[in-house]
Amino acid sequence: MVITISHLTRMRPPYICAAGLYDKYAVRAVTAGQLHKCLLRSNGGPFAIGAVVDLGLVKDVGSPPELEDCSFNPASAKYVSMEDGGTFWKRLEQIAQPTLDSIFGDDLIKRGRWSCAVNPGCGVASMGCLRVFGTPQISIRGLDSHVMRSGLRLAITDPFFGKLDLGITDVRFFEDDFITVNETAVESAQTRIDSGVRLLLSVGLTRATVPPDKPVHWLQVNNLHLEDNPTWNL
């Protein structure tokens, strides 16, 4: 299966999560363990935003809400090419939705004042592409290293859920340790947003985590895609 990488996130160091588009369908590449950051294109591997990657043979192993999961052999994955930025942007525009509920369905519910989540075993999707309104603001905060809660946040307004403050897990905004925020990359992105460059978000749900009451899949921002250079990479 050949996919174009549209979601590339940092997990607990030194691991990543990679997903992409097969035609208009989202596919998350999973394996028995976790994907190591050595699989990033910057480290000699196949994965980068906008990269066309041949995963080899895959098997559908999805279950709600992670219906996009397909198992593959990382050793068989091959980098094919980098998709043209204009073509990549059009691909994202074709699948982008105007609201979060149009991506995740009715099982996405407000959790607390500023976030949303889906309960385990529920939901119709765990990732998608979102059109954003207004001028989202990126902020850098302290990192809770115990749970690896992102020290990087994005404030957006959703037509249904209102104002949200979501963690950003875009690998391009973190140094190689996956903890230190790359402030230069953040400042560049915010400047481009403030200047009116169109923005699309790859959004997704975390694997089930444990808040004080019960496990949930939290909503997060996987990647920021800006029209003037949608395939930018470190």
Side-chain angles (χ1 to χ4, degrees):
M1 175 183 283
V2 178
I3 64 173
T4 302
I5 302 300
S6 55
H7 294 64
L8 193 57
T9 70
R10 66 103 176 176
M11 306 288 281
R12 185 183 295 274
Y15 302 110
I16 63 170
C17 181
L21 299 175
Y22 176 73
D23 191 13
K24 295 182 181 180
Y25 299 97
V27 173
R28 181 186 290 107
V30 300
T31 187
Q34 292 180 281
L35 302 183
H36 194 275
K37 67 180 182 180
C38 66
L39 292 169
L40 292 173
R41 185 69 182 156
S42 57
N43 293 329
F47 296 126
I49 290 294
V52 179
V53 178
D54 186 346
L55 297 177
L57 295 176
V58 302
K59 180 181 179 181
D60 182 1
V61 293
S63 60
E66 296 140 340
L67 296 170
E68 304 87 357
D69 285 6
C70 286
S71 66
F72 81 117
N73 180 356
S76 299
K78 294 180 175 62
Y79 170 81
V80 177
S81 64
M82 183 63 67
E83 190 160 84
D84 172 76
T87 301
F88 182 65
W89 179 260
K90 289 178 181 177
R91 186 188 297 277
L92 295 175
E93 278 200 310
Q94 288 176 350
I95 65 165
Q97 299 296 320
T99 62
L100 289 166
D101 64 306
S102 61
I103 296 172
F104 298 103
D106 295 338
D107 287 322
L108 183 71
I109 57 175
K110 196 76 176 283
R111 294 283 300 209
R113 187 176 180 184
W114 303 112
S115 193
C116 298
V118 170
N119 290 321
C122 301
V124 296
S126 67
M127 64 177 62
C129 187
L130 179 71
R131 301 182 189 276
V132 289
F133 302 92
T135 307
Q137 296 295 309
I138 306 171
S139 61
I140 301 174
R141 304 178 197 168
L143 174 75
D144 186 337
S145 60
H146 178 66
V147 296
M148 285 306 299
R149 184 175 291 115
S150 176
L152 195 60
R153 315 288 295 182
L154 186 69
I156 65 171
T157 300
D158 180 77
F160 181 76
F161 292 105
K163 294 181 179 180
L164 298 173
D165 184 75
L166 305 174
I168 301 173
T169 57
D170 192 320
V171 294
R172 301 168 297 177
F173 288 124
F174 294 90
E175 302 290 353
D176 191 56
D177 61 6
F178 278 17
I179 297 175
T180 307
V181 174
N182 185 322
E183 295 188 28
T184 299
V186 171
E187 291 171 2
S188 174
Q190 188 64 63
T191 297
R192 291 154 69 193
I193 293 169
D194 291 343
S195 69
V197 175
R198 293 175 63 200
L199 172 69
L200 296 174
L201 301 178
S202 283
V203 289
L205 302 176
T206 67
R207 298 298 186 181
T209 55
V210 183
D213 48 358
K214 62 179 181 179
V216 295
H217 299 268
W218 289 103
L219 178 66
Q220 66 184 14
V221 175
N222 295 138
N223 298 97
L224 282 72
H225 305 294
L226 288 141
E227 185 178 19
D228 62 347
N229 187 8
T231 58
W232 71 275
N233 284 281
L234 294 177

